[in-house]
Amino acid sequence: MNRIVRRTLIGFVVGALAFGLASVYQAISSGVGLVRTLGPLGFMTVLGGTIGGLAGPLVGEAVARARQRRAQRRGCVLYTKPSPRAKRGGGLPGWG
C-alpha cells in the first residue's frame, strides 16, 4: 500500500471516529436516546470520514516534511524512499 492510500485511510478512520464520537457525546449529553438519532449519527460519521479522507494525505505530508526538517536541523538523517516522480526528474516541466 503506498503512502497516499495509507494516509487517506488513516484520515478517514480518524475523521469518522472524531465526528462519530462527538455526535454520540452530543446525543448522550442532550438526553436523547441513541436509537432515535441513528440517522444523524451515521451522517456525521460519514461526513467526518469524507473530510478526514480528503485531509489525511495533506496533513500526513505536512507532518512528514516537518519531521524531516526537524531531523535535518538536529543533524540526523532520516531515510525516505525517493518517490517515482523524483526518479523521473520532477513533476513539473523544466524542474528536472
Side-chain angles (χ1 to χ4, degrees), residues 21-79:
L21 290 176
S23 59
V24 166
Y25 174 75
Q26 183 67 28
I28 291 172
S29 65
S30 66
V32 179
L34 291 178
V35 175
R36 292 187 64 193
T37 59
L38 280 180
L41 291 176
F43 174 75
M44 291 302 289
T45 302
V46 170
L47 181 68
T50 303
I51 292 171
L54 291 172
L58 297 172
V59 172
E61 191 66 28
V63 168
R65 285 184 184 184
R67 206 176 276 159
Q68 184 80 20
R69 285 190 196 124
R70 192 176 316 121
Q72 286 174 351
R73 272 184 271 161
R74 291 182 183 163
C76 302
V77 177
L78 292 178
Y79 175 73

